[in-house]
Amino acid sequence: MKLIAGIDIGNATTETAIAKIYNKNIEFIASGIVKTTGIKGTKENIHGVFASLNQALKKGKVDINDLDLVRINEAAPVIGDVAMETITETIITESTMIGHNPSTPGGVGLGVGYTVNIKSIKNMQEKQPSIVIIPRDVDFLEASSIINEAIENGIDIQGAIVQRDDGVLINNRISKVIPIVDEVSLIEKVHEGVKTAIEVAPVGGVVEVLSNPFGIATEFGLDSYETKMIVPIARALIGNRSAVVIKTPKGDVKERKIPSGKINVFGKKRKMNVDVDEGASVIMDVLRECNPIEDIKGEPGTNAGGMLEKVRQVMANLTKNHPNSIKIQDLLAVDTYVPQKVKGGLAGEFSMENAVGIAAMVKSDRLQMQMIADELEKEIGIKVEVGGIEADMAIRGALTTPGSNTPLAILDMGAGSTDASLISKDREIKSMHLAGAGNMVTMLINTELGLEDKDLAEDIKKYPLAKVESLFHIRHEDGSVEFFQDQLDPKVFARIVILKEGNMIPIPVNESLEKIRMVRRNSKKKVFVTNAIRALKMVSTTGNIRDIDYVVLLGGSALDFEIPQLVTDRLAQYGIVSGRANIRGIEGPRNAVATGLVLSYGEVKKNE
């Protein structure tokens, strides 16, 4: 009898499977799982390997000295990095203001008129439509009194721009309902006597006139050329509850492309380059044309070049190799939007700018994993060897799922990479490793919602949402209502919360539940559904995904509450049956590679 341990060093977790092998039979006795220490494929992994192995030994009531052999995975993707490149930006010159969206604007409706300081309104000679400018030194009581007096004197007040947070207070005290936008910090930059449009939507609504280029053209009397030029204004206002557009003699709003740099793709048969600012679809088309890929480099001195070279340099430092010897194996690019501060805005306005998210993955060699095996062998005094390619081991483990058989394809969806493998009836295996997985989804959620908190973004990715509608009930994201006997924490009242392990974590962004859910689901689709289709096409013997009948989903991301459903739904369109694995009938979608490392050793022994 031999006691064998298979250990899978992943990007996020290190998993162990221990089994007894005797008389050509394999009996699994225990498993372990801990967080990976260090970057996958480096010597820092050894601490996590020890912890995972000891956990499994303790469960199986086995002493480490009883082990005959430890097998670790040959980890092809050892490091990944993600970056976000904004490829457009909205710039305001002079005193044009757009897109201000305070949390509590006053009034409702659309107002168009000429700006006038509230202190000068009594001295107005012309009876033209007016937008009142209310600076910080005028409080809401004084402002509402002056506006009421002006309305009584026949002055046509169409709206107000307020520096303080007084919009609702003023609205409650004046005799006419007008749109009021407050919290305009740089109000002194708003010129007097210029034509201005203010729109405030009802609670729950969004602006309709000022988010439409032709709506703006109608209010300001623009010609076709000018209408084309104000498209960035309308685009930046989409989804806002309130908006202000000011037309100054020299004012201008323009959308400018930011040169993010070129990506150079070196394939075995051809070399191509592509500008990041052309968007993700063009980048991925170039990658497909250059497949199989030998290396990917970024243009020196650009954002794209810096991101890709950082990946290369980090890996070079960890492996003690020259940066030129580190090859980037794959890249995933996705189109997204990022909230960016509008340059030249008057109240800290933000606009959703076009951006490209990029994930890169470095190719490793077996030598690096052998160094880890040698180091581990010295530490524990037991023979350690590097097993087969990770995806090949995963498919062996996947075949222990009840009801599975060859031919079979697997999708191993982890934190750093998405791996695919296909085993034919005669047990020939073809595998592929692609950049982009759980970490990239977290980055997209973090940037698109403007959170600046990766831990919060990770929670949004992993757990469902709800809206706290009272201190005794919540509405789940699927519309169902849950009531509570005890009063909820007042801090979560009227907030969007994450339902995490019995706790309610409020999300500190001013977005609706539907918007947050949409960002979460779209991020998962952009990464996992895209990579699932891409990977399966690559491992298919014909290049046609429809030739694959069964797909088993593996890895930590297969435990997600909605990723398997999103992938399964998309694959069903190709006539593919797919679902979450259950390794050895007990482990769920985890432990496939560790199990496969033991099984592949057993196969060798059976053939001897």
Side-chain angles (χ1 to χ4, degrees):
M1 186 199 78
K2 286 199 172 184
L3 197 62
I4 308 298
I7 302 179
D8 169 29
I9 304 168
N11 285 288
T13 59
T14 298
E15 301 170 5
T16 299
I18 298 178
K20 296 176 182 177
I21 298 179
Y22 54 93
N23 298 329
K24 297 184 179 180
N25 294 318
I26 301 175
E27 179 190 345
F28 286 91
I29 60 173
S31 60
I33 179 171
V34 300
K35 285 188 176 181
T36 296
T37 53
I39 294 173
K40 177 179 176 178
T42 65
K43 287 186 178 181
E44 294 174 1
N45 298 158
I46 290 175
H47 302 293
V49 170
F50 269 129
S52 181
L53 179 59
N54 286 331
Q55 188 186 99
L57 289 168
K58 188 175 181 181
K59 285 181 184 178
K61 298 178 181 178
V62 177
D63 189 87
I64 192 168
N65 295 318
D66 294 333
L67 285 174
D68 294 293
L69 176 68
V70 173
R71 307 191 82 218
I72 65 172
N73 56 314
E74 184 180 330
V78 294
I79 181 174
D81 195 13
V82 288
M84 189 67 70
E85 293 303 330
T86 306
I87 57 177
T88 58
E89 65 178 353
T90 301
I91 300 172
I92 301 176
T93 58
E94 295 299 320
S95 61
T96 307
M97 179 172 69
I98 65 165
H100 187 42
N101 197 29
S103 56
T104 54
V108 70
L110 174 71
V112 181
Y114 292 85
T115 51
V116 57
N117 193 298
I118 194 166
K119 297 174 182 177
S120 308
I121 202 166
K122 293 179 182 178
N123 303 323
M124 283 183 61
Q125 300 296 320
E126 297 181 31
K127 300 294 183 179
Q128 61 183 8
S130 300
I131 301 292
V132 181
I133 300 171
I134 305 174
R136 189 176 300 280
D137 58 352
V138 179
D139 65 23
F140 66 91
L141 288 172
E142 184 182 358
S144 55
S145 174
I146 293 173
I147 291 173
N148 281 330
E149 185 180 340
I151 292 171
E152 288 176 9
N153 293 333
I155 297 175
D156 184 9
I157 305 295
Q158 286 285 312
I161 300 173
V162 186
Q163 190 165 23
R164 291 188 182 193
D165 182 13
D166 288 346
V168 174
L169 296 171
I170 294 171
N171 177 67
N172 291 341
R173 289 166 173 78
I174 59 177
S175 59
K176 178 182 177 182
V177 177
I178 60 173
I180 304 171
V181 173
D182 55 8
E183 300 178 52
V184 180
S185 54
L186 300 177
I187 203 165
E188 66 276 3
K189 291 193 175 182
V190 180
H191 294 182
E192 285 193 63
V194 295
K195 195 169 186 180
T196 298
I198 298 178
E199 185 177 3
V200 174
V203 176
V206 294
V207 296
E208 295 181 5
V209 177
L210 297 184
S211 61
N212 175 7
F214 299 109
I216 297 174
T218 301
E219 300 305 330
F220 287 93
L222 306 180
D223 60 28
S224 59
Y225 174 77
E226 291 171 319
T227 302
K228 184 178 180 180
M229 297 304 293
I230 54 90
V231 168
I233 294 180
R235 177 174 165 271
L237 296 177
I238 292 173
N240 280 11
R241 187 188 161 197
S242 63
V244 178
V245 175
I246 301 173
K247 190 175 188 294
T248 63
K250 296 181 182 179
D252 187 23
V253 177
K254 57 186 177 182
E255 187 177 62
R256 186 182 76 178
K257 284 207 167 192
I258 303 171
S260 300
K262 289 187 174 71
I263 292 175
N264 301 306
V265 183
F266 300 86
K268 284 187 178 179
K269 297 179 180 178
R270 63 190 304 184
K271 170 191 171 185
M272 297 179 70
N273 62 62
V274 57
D275 280 312
V276 172
D277 58 15
E278 288 189 48
S281 60
V282 178
I283 295 172
M284 297 311 293
D285 285 343
V286 168
L287 259 69
R288 275 190 292 272
E289 290 185 43
C290 292
N291 194 57
I293 295 166
E294 292 190 328
D295 196 12
I296 302 171
K297 294 185 177 180
E299 182 182 356
T302 67
N303 290 333
M307 178 260 180
L308 294 175
E309 292 313 307
K310 177 189 168 189
V311 172
R312 206 183 304 274
Q313 189 64 53
V314 167
M315 195 62 230
N317 293 338
L318 290 167
T319 60
K320 311 301 182 190
N321 290 325
H322 192 277
N324 291 341
S325 68
I326 305 296
K327 306 296 182 185
I328 292 180
Q329 174 182 327
D330 185 54
L331 182 147
L332 174 66
V334 298
D335 287 316
T336 185
Y337 296 97
V338 180
Q340 294 283 336
K341 195 167 184 179
V342 176
K343 294 191 176 181
L346 302 185
E349 294 90 353
F350 281 81
S351 174
M352 296 302 288
E353 309 292 2
N354 294 91
V356 172
I358 297 172
M361 187 172 66
V362 168
K363 197 173 190 175
S364 75
D365 54 32
R366 187 183 175 94
L367 180 61
Q368 180 64 26
M369 294 308 297
Q370 190 60 54
M371 289 167 59
I372 297 173
D374 293 343
E375 187 72 23
L376 184 59
E377 189 171 311
K378 287 179 189 176
E379 294 283 344
I380 63 177
I382 293 166
K383 182 173 174 56
V384 180
E385 68 179 24
V386 179
I389 296 171
E390 190 170 339
D392 294 358
M393 298 300 102
I395 206 161
R396 284 180 168 85
L399 284 168
T400 66
T401 295
S404 64
N405 203 346
T406 58
L408 181 75
I410 61 115
L411 281 172
D412 190 353
M413 303 181 294
S417 66
T418 301
D419 305 333
S421 192
L422 177 69
I423 186 168
S424 63
K425 276 193 173 181
D426 53 9
R427 302 189 77 82
E428 287 185 6
I429 297 175
K430 184 180 180 183
S431 56
M432 182 60 59
H433 307 280
L434 300 179
N439 291 344
M440 190 176 194
V441 173
T442 302
M443 180 201 69
L444 291 174
I445 293 170
N446 190 39
T447 52
E448 203 160 324
L449 292 176
L451 300 174
E452 297 182 1
D453 185 341
K454 286 186 178 179
D455 291 334
L456 180 62
E458 182 75 10
D459 284 343
I460 291 174
K461 178 184 78 175
K462 291 169 66 175
Y463 301 100
L465 306 169
K467 174 71 179 289
V468 180
E469 295 189 332
S470 79
L471 291 178
F472 291 94
H473 85 279
I474 64 173
R475 187 175 298 276
H476 291 270
E477 61 177 65
D478 64 358
S480 61
V481 176
E482 181 179 0
F483 292 90
F484 299 87
Q485 266 193 325
D486 298 323
Q487 179 180 299
L488 300 175
D489 187 338
K491 292 179 181 177
V492 301
F493 176 65
R495 303 287 297 275
I496 308 299
V497 295
I498 305 166
L499 302 177
K500 178 183 179 182
E501 299 167 358
N503 297 314
M504 295 183 187
I505 303 172
I507 302 174
V509 293
N510 189 27
E511 299 287 1
S512 67
L513 184 149
E514 290 74 18
K515 169 70 180 294
I516 298 170
R517 180 177 183 268
M518 182 188 72
V519 168
R520 183 193 72 210
R521 288 176 64 85
N522 285 346
S523 298
K524 290 176 180 178
K525 287 178 182 178
K526 288 173 184 177
V527 176
F528 284 109
V529 175
T530 299
N531 262 353
I533 303 300
R534 196 162 67 109
L536 291 174
K537 282 181 179 178
M538 290 180 177
V539 297
S540 170
T541 52
T542 62
N544 186 349
I545 191 173
R546 293 184 183 274
D547 292 337
I548 297 173
D549 295 320
Y550 299 96
V551 173
V552 171
L553 307 179
L554 306 172
S557 293
L559 289 168
D560 186 90
F561 71 101
E562 63 186 351
I563 289 172
Q565 285 80 8
L566 294 173
V567 174
T568 296
D569 182 59
R570 185 71 177 90
L571 294 182
Q573 297 175 29
Y574 294 93
I576 296 172
V577 178
S578 65
R580 191 186 283 128
N582 189 13
I583 307 304
R584 307 201 310 273
I586 58 171
E587 298 287 351
R590 288 197 181 278
N591 208 263
V593 175
T595 297
L597 286 164
V598 174
L599 292 174
S600 65
Y601 176 82
E603 288 173 13
V604 172
K605 289 301 170 187
K606 284 180 183 179
N607 296 326
E608 286 181 354

